[in-house]
Amino acid sequence: MFSIIGKNIIRNNNLTFKLGNTTKVALISNKSQFHNFNALLNEKKPKKPESLISDDILARAGFELNEQGKPITEQQETEQKQKAREQEEKDNEPLNELEESIKKRKEKRKRQTQTDKQIEKATSYFYVGLLGAVTGLTLYLGRDFNSEELQGVYGKEYKDVGNGFNPPTLVFKRIIARFNALKDSFNNPPFETLLPPPPPAPYQRPLTLVLGLEDLLIHSEYDYKNGWQTKKRPGVDFFLGYLSQYYEIVIYSREASFTMEPVILKLDPIQAFIAYNLFKEHCSYKNGEYVKDLSKLNRDIKKVVSLDLSSTLNTDEFEDNKIYINNWEGDRSNKDLLDYIPFLEYLVTQNVSDVRPIIKTFNNKTTLAQDFNKRIDVLREKFYDEQSKKSASGIMKIVGMGAPSASGVGAKFPLDFIREEGLKNYKAFKQLVEEEKEKIMWKQERMKQTFTLSQYLTGQISQEDIMKQQMAKDAELEEEYKAFKKAEQAKVEN
């Protein structure tokens, strides 16, 4: 039935259907009319009228457009800026250490030039070489000790460590022992004995006096007008000249020789009073500072007195040999240095075998000079009180102690008598130095060393031999000087 209806419909060529609210009637006569019908169904709707203001015109007018081509509103613009800010903050968020290092390495590789690659390659070779050198040095330091090392300066430490590789920790102990020995070679003076042996008895002083230099004998200060100036402490010339007849004077400075040696030459140009000079390179490095090691002076420690600044009190193990004086800051009225002469004079004239017990009797070493002088005043007063009760004996007159004194008593206090004799000797020596100054300086310019350092260190030449050679050289220069003066006199006469 439906087929008949269909045929009739086709036959009558009439078809009515409804599309939405629109009714269209199409004539379908044959197969080709179905295509026309489909084209009619697919026919586009009429286009909406386009605006005369295009996107290009809006852009030129300064309007920002969104993805749909419409102008951006203030709200949309704010939202876009917020999103851009959030994205920037997200990009700038710190990475973890690994990611950051990888990122930096990648950025570095991108920027690397050929020169950078060569530098990186050379650096790699350097570190490989350094590692090899450290490994080789470790193996070298860990080797067994030979017989010479076991008998050397650090032999005791080496013997305690021992040779062999059982247990393996011996290797590390040998490395540490050798490293400590190397470190000590830098922290200690170049020689075990800083001074040559004392001269023979006729030329030997009873005691050795070690003096500091900075702010003790001299003071250096700077001002904008004159620059650096070095001043001598009041009484330093008399102090050195007077005590040089009793003491072997050694200047021991914590400063370098190239800065302080010219200063010492100003104090004693012809080396008449100062026997030896020691400097920073002769100090030992302990606890972060340079200290004067009196045990390396090659002198009997019982007969060594050291005058140091009070600011260095109790800084090493030689406190029993030390007396102290306050720092001198350039005050021209300060005469404290001269106050130490009576005590130092007393130690020599009393022929003490050990200075340390006497120094230990003073509780406060910074006021030792004043305390000693008070003791002497008490003894002097007691001495004259006793003398006033006695008549002057003939024996005292014979020995020269019966001359009238300031107190009206015939005998003199022994230390005052010694002081008078010392002053006489000092004046005579001072006069001799002034008279012979020209000749001494002439000889010093021409005096040559009569031995080599290796001969002295290896024991090929003794101190007595050195003295004999120097005396022979001095006698030779004496004859040359006489001839030189005669030649000068002849020129003047002619």
Side-chain angles (χ1 to χ4, degrees), residues 436 439 442-443 474-490:
E436 301 292 325
K439 181 171 69 174
W442 189 90
K443 287 182 178 180
D474 184 75
E476 180 182 339
L477 290 174
E478 181 73 23
E479 296 299 324
E480 292 181 8
Y481 180 76
K482 289 179 180 179
F484 169 74
K485 294 301 291 183
K486 285 181 180 179
E488 277 195 342
Q489 186 66 27

Short mmCIF file of all heavy atoms in Angstrom, two decimals, residues 436 439 442-443 474-490:
data_model
loop_
_atom_site.label_atom_id
_atom_site.label_comp_id
_atom_site.label_asym_id
_atom_site.label_seq_id
_atom_site.Cartn_x
_atom_site.Cartn_y
_atom_site.Cartn_z
N GLU A 436 139.07 56.08 68.66
CA GLU A 436 139.32 55.01 67.69
C GLU A 436 138.16 54.81 66.71
O GLU A 436 138.18 53.86 65.93
CB GLU A 436 139.58 53.70 68.43
CG GLU A 436 140.75 53.74 69.39
CD GLU A 436 142.07 53.86 68.65
OE1 GLU A 436 142.18 53.29 67.55
OE2 GLU A 436 142.98 54.55 69.15
N LYS A 439 139.14 54.71 63.06
CA LYS A 439 139.90 53.50 62.73
C LYS A 439 138.99 52.26 62.75
O LYS A 439 139.11 51.38 61.88
CB LYS A 439 141.06 53.33 63.71
CG LYS A 439 141.90 52.10 63.43
CD LYS A 439 143.16 52.08 64.27
CE LYS A 439 142.86 51.85 65.72
NZ LYS A 439 144.10 51.70 66.53
N TRP A 442 136.94 52.22 59.67
CA TRP A 442 137.80 51.89 58.53
C TRP A 442 138.06 50.38 58.48
O TRP A 442 138.04 49.77 57.41
CB TRP A 442 139.12 52.66 58.68
CG TRP A 442 140.02 52.59 57.48
CD1 TRP A 442 140.05 53.42 56.41
CD2 TRP A 442 141.06 51.62 57.27
NE1 TRP A 442 141.02 53.04 55.52
CE2 TRP A 442 141.66 51.93 56.02
CE3 TRP A 442 141.51 50.52 57.99
CZ2 TRP A 442 142.71 51.18 55.50
CZ3 TRP A 442 142.56 49.77 57.46
CH2 TRP A 442 143.14 50.10 56.23
N LYS A 443 138.31 49.78 59.64
CA LYS A 443 138.55 48.34 59.70
C LYS A 443 137.28 47.54 59.35
O LYS A 443 137.34 46.51 58.66
CB LYS A 443 139.03 47.94 61.10
CG LYS A 443 140.45 48.36 61.42
CD LYS A 443 140.84 47.86 62.80
CE LYS A 443 142.26 48.22 63.14
NZ LYS A 443 142.64 47.72 64.50
N ASP A 474 142.70 41.49 62.24
CA ASP A 474 142.66 42.82 62.84
C ASP A 474 144.06 43.42 62.93
O ASP A 474 144.26 44.61 62.69
CB ASP A 474 142.02 42.73 64.22
CG ASP A 474 141.86 44.09 64.87
OD1 ASP A 474 140.95 44.84 64.46
OD2 ASP A 474 142.63 44.40 65.80
N ALA A 475 145.03 42.59 63.32
CA ALA A 475 146.42 43.08 63.39
C ALA A 475 146.92 43.49 62.00
O ALA A 475 147.63 44.50 61.85
CB ALA A 475 147.32 42.00 63.97
N GLU A 476 146.53 42.73 61.00
CA GLU A 476 146.93 43.07 59.62
C GLU A 476 146.30 44.40 59.19
O GLU A 476 146.98 45.26 58.59
CB GLU A 476 146.47 41.95 58.69
CG GLU A 476 146.82 42.18 57.22
CD GLU A 476 146.29 41.06 56.34
OE1 GLU A 476 146.03 39.95 56.86
OE2 GLU A 476 146.13 41.30 55.12
N LEU A 477 145.03 44.60 59.53
CA LEU A 477 144.36 45.85 59.19
C LEU A 477 144.93 47.02 59.99
O LEU A 477 144.94 48.16 59.51
CB LEU A 477 142.85 45.73 59.45
CG LEU A 477 142.09 44.81 58.50
CD1 LEU A 477 140.63 44.66 58.96
CD2 LEU A 477 142.12 45.34 57.07
N GLU A 478 145.42 46.73 61.19
CA GLU A 478 146.03 47.78 62.01
C GLU A 478 147.27 48.35 61.31
O GLU A 478 147.46 49.57 61.27
CB GLU A 478 146.42 47.20 63.37
CG GLU A 478 147.05 48.19 64.32
CD GLU A 478 146.05 49.18 64.90
OE1 GLU A 478 144.83 48.87 64.91
OE2 GLU A 478 146.48 50.28 65.31
N GLU A 479 148.08 47.47 60.76
CA GLU A 479 149.27 47.93 60.03
C GLU A 479 148.87 48.69 58.77
O GLU A 479 149.48 49.70 58.42
CB GLU A 479 150.16 46.73 59.68
CG GLU A 479 150.73 46.01 60.89
CD GLU A 479 151.61 46.93 61.73
OE1 GLU A 479 152.31 47.79 61.15
OE2 GLU A 479 151.59 46.79 62.97
N GLU A 480 147.84 48.21 58.08
CA GLU A 480 147.38 48.90 56.87
C GLU A 480 146.83 50.29 57.22
O GLU A 480 147.04 51.25 56.46
CB GLU A 480 146.30 48.07 56.17
CG GLU A 480 146.81 46.78 55.57
CD GLU A 480 145.70 46.01 54.87
OE1 GLU A 480 144.58 46.56 54.73
OE2 GLU A 480 145.96 44.87 54.46
N TYR A 481 146.17 50.39 58.35
CA TYR A 481 145.61 51.69 58.74
C TYR A 481 146.74 52.68 59.08
O TYR A 481 146.65 53.87 58.73
CB TYR A 481 144.69 51.51 59.95
CG TYR A 481 144.07 52.80 60.42
CD1 TYR A 481 143.02 53.40 59.72
CD2 TYR A 481 144.54 53.45 61.57
CE1 TYR A 481 142.47 54.60 60.15
CE2 TYR A 481 143.99 54.64 62.01
CZ TYR A 481 142.95 55.21 61.29
OH TYR A 481 142.41 56.40 61.72
N LYS A 482 147.78 52.20 59.75
CA LYS A 482 148.91 53.08 60.06
C LYS A 482 149.54 53.60 58.77
O LYS A 482 149.89 54.79 58.67
CB LYS A 482 149.93 52.34 60.90
CG LYS A 482 149.47 52.05 62.32
CD LYS A 482 150.55 51.28 63.08
CE LYS A 482 150.08 50.99 64.52
NZ LYS A 482 151.11 50.21 65.28
N ALA A 483 149.69 52.73 57.81
CA ALA A 483 150.27 53.16 56.53
C ALA A 483 149.34 54.15 55.83
O ALA A 483 149.80 55.13 55.21
CB ALA A 483 150.50 51.94 55.64
N PHE A 484 148.05 53.92 55.95
CA PHE A 484 147.07 54.82 55.33
C PHE A 484 147.14 56.21 55.97
O PHE A 484 147.12 57.23 55.26
CB PHE A 484 145.68 54.21 55.50
CG PHE A 484 144.56 55.14 55.14
CD1 PHE A 484 144.27 55.44 53.82
CD2 PHE A 484 143.78 55.74 56.14
CE1 PHE A 484 143.23 56.31 53.49
CE2 PHE A 484 142.74 56.59 55.82
CZ PHE A 484 142.46 56.88 54.49
N LYS A 485 147.25 56.26 57.29
CA LYS A 485 147.32 57.55 57.98
C LYS A 485 148.63 58.27 57.66
O LYS A 485 148.66 59.50 57.54
CB LYS A 485 147.20 57.34 59.49
CG LYS A 485 145.83 56.83 59.94
CD LYS A 485 144.71 57.76 59.56
CE LYS A 485 144.72 59.05 60.32
NZ LYS A 485 143.57 59.93 59.99
N LYS A 486 149.74 57.53 57.54
CA LYS A 486 151.01 58.14 57.19
C LYS A 486 150.94 58.77 55.79
O LYS A 486 151.45 59.88 55.56
CB LYS A 486 152.14 57.10 57.22
CG LYS A 486 152.56 56.73 58.62
CD LYS A 486 153.70 55.73 58.59
CE LYS A 486 154.15 55.36 60.02
NZ LYS A 486 155.27 54.35 59.99
N ALA A 487 150.27 58.06 54.89
CA ALA A 487 150.14 58.58 53.52
C ALA A 487 149.30 59.86 53.52
O ALA A 487 149.62 60.83 52.83
CB ALA A 487 149.51 57.53 52.62
N GLU A 488 148.26 59.87 54.33
CA GLU A 488 147.42 61.07 54.43
C GLU A 488 148.20 62.23 55.04
O GLU A 488 148.09 63.38 54.60
CB GLU A 488 146.16 60.77 55.29
CG GLU A 488 145.04 60.12 54.52
CD GLU A 488 143.74 60.18 55.28
OE1 GLU A 488 143.76 60.41 56.51
OE2 GLU A 488 142.67 60.00 54.66
N GLN A 489 148.98 61.93 56.08
CA GLN A 489 149.79 62.98 56.74
C GLN A 489 150.81 63.56 55.76
O GLN A 489 151.07 64.77 55.75
CB GLN A 489 150.48 62.39 57.97
CG GLN A 489 151.23 63.40 58.81
CD GLN A 489 150.30 64.40 59.48
OE1 GLN A 489 149.14 64.09 59.73
NE2 GLN A 489 150.82 65.58 59.78
N ALA A 490 151.38 62.70 54.96
CA ALA A 490 152.38 63.17 53.99
C ALA A 490 151.72 64.10 52.95
O ALA A 490 152.31 65.09 52.53
CB ALA A 490 153.01 61.97 53.29
#
